[in-house]
Amino acid sequence: PLAIDPFLVPAFLVKDVSVITSFTPCGWTIETRVFPSDPRLAVNMGAALAEQGLYGAALAYYDVALMRDPNLKEAWNNKGRALNALKRPQEALICLDKALEIDPSYHAAWVNRGIALALLGRLEEALKSFDAAIDLDPNDPKAWYNKGVALLKLNRTQQACQCAERALTLDPSYAEAKRLKETACHSTEP
């Protein structure tokens, strides 16, 4: 579509999900980020960006959602997950604890909390978080896989192998669990 820039010069607009980028004939690029007023929509937009690996951009949407509704557990959880992906587990842990304060039975937050603790090297605490997630949903292959990774780091290979096998029983196509099984189960062979 054609639009007019502040200097009354025609410009082209490209709209991509939530960013409007205008290109002026002078070669200027003007970018405007549009944030939705509905906090749940902001969480969804952040999740879409995170799925593309754009974790920094996703954080902005989670922050907007939390500014509008500070008790939105999904925003706290997703922000923690993005911070984990950015290797900022200490900040992630704060967000995930907030999500669990809002809803102690929030399964995904327990898994992501375990990941943050594992990134911090607090493996025994991570195992407790994974166990809490498994207690809430024993059919989540990601909880079993992440528990297996923590156990492997603690050199508890037989238990890690069992977790990998359980994850693969739940999701036979889970590539990371297949690699964990190869590593952990072959380590336990005599």
Side-chain angles (χ1 to χ4, degrees):
L2 195 58
I4 304 295
D5 73 6
F7 301 104
L8 302 176
V9 178
F12 292 98
L13 294 177
V14 178
K15 187 174 182 201
D16 174 27
V17 183
S18 62
V19 179
I20 299 173
T21 306
S22 58
F23 303 91
T24 66
C26 304
W28 296 356
T29 301
I30 303 167
E31 188 170 289
T32 306
R33 194 164 298 274
V34 179
F35 293 103
S37 58
D38 180 352
R40 292 194 181 278
L41 183 56
V43 171
N44 291 341
M45 292 174 84
L49 289 166
E51 196 170 304
Q52 296 174 35
L54 303 171
Y55 301 108
L59 287 175
Y61 284 91
Y62 301 141
D63 286 338
V64 166
L66 290 167
M67 186 172 47
R68 295 193 172 125
D69 184 355
N71 292 313
L72 193 57
K73 67 181 181 180
E74 295 85 359
W76 287 111
N77 176 65
N78 289 6
K79 183 176 180 179
R81 185 175 179 202
L83 288 165
N84 275 342
L86 292 169
K87 304 295 185 221
R88 293 163 52 188
Q90 193 64 49
E91 293 170 79
L93 193 56
I94 293 167
C95 295
L96 297 161
D97 284 343
K98 182 66 177 170
L100 290 167
E101 179 183 311
I102 295 165
D103 182 359
S105 66
Y106 190 21
H107 163 266
W110 282 109
V111 174
N112 291 323
R113 184 179 191 275
I115 293 168
L117 289 164
L119 288 170
L120 290 167
R122 295 161 55 183
L123 299 173
E124 292 293 341
E125 290 176 78
L127 287 175
K128 290 178 184 174
S129 289
F130 296 134
D131 284 337
I134 290 166
D135 286 345
L136 292 165
D137 182 2
N139 295 317
D140 177 19
K142 290 181 182 176
W144 286 102
Y145 164 76
N146 283 294
K147 179 179 179 178
V149 170
L151 287 164
L152 186 63
K153 288 181 181 179
L154 289 167
N155 291 318
R156 291 160 57 182
T157 55
Q158 187 172 2
Q159 290 172 295
C161 177
Q162 292 168 348
C163 288
E165 288 173 343
R166 177 71 173 139
L168 286 168
T169 299
L170 296 167
D171 181 359
S173 65
Y174 196 170
E176 291 89 352
K178 287 178 184 178
R179 285 192 291 276
L180 175 62
K181 181 180 177 183
E182 289 173 11
T183 303
C185 296
H186 293 301
S187 297
T188 61
E189 294 176 356

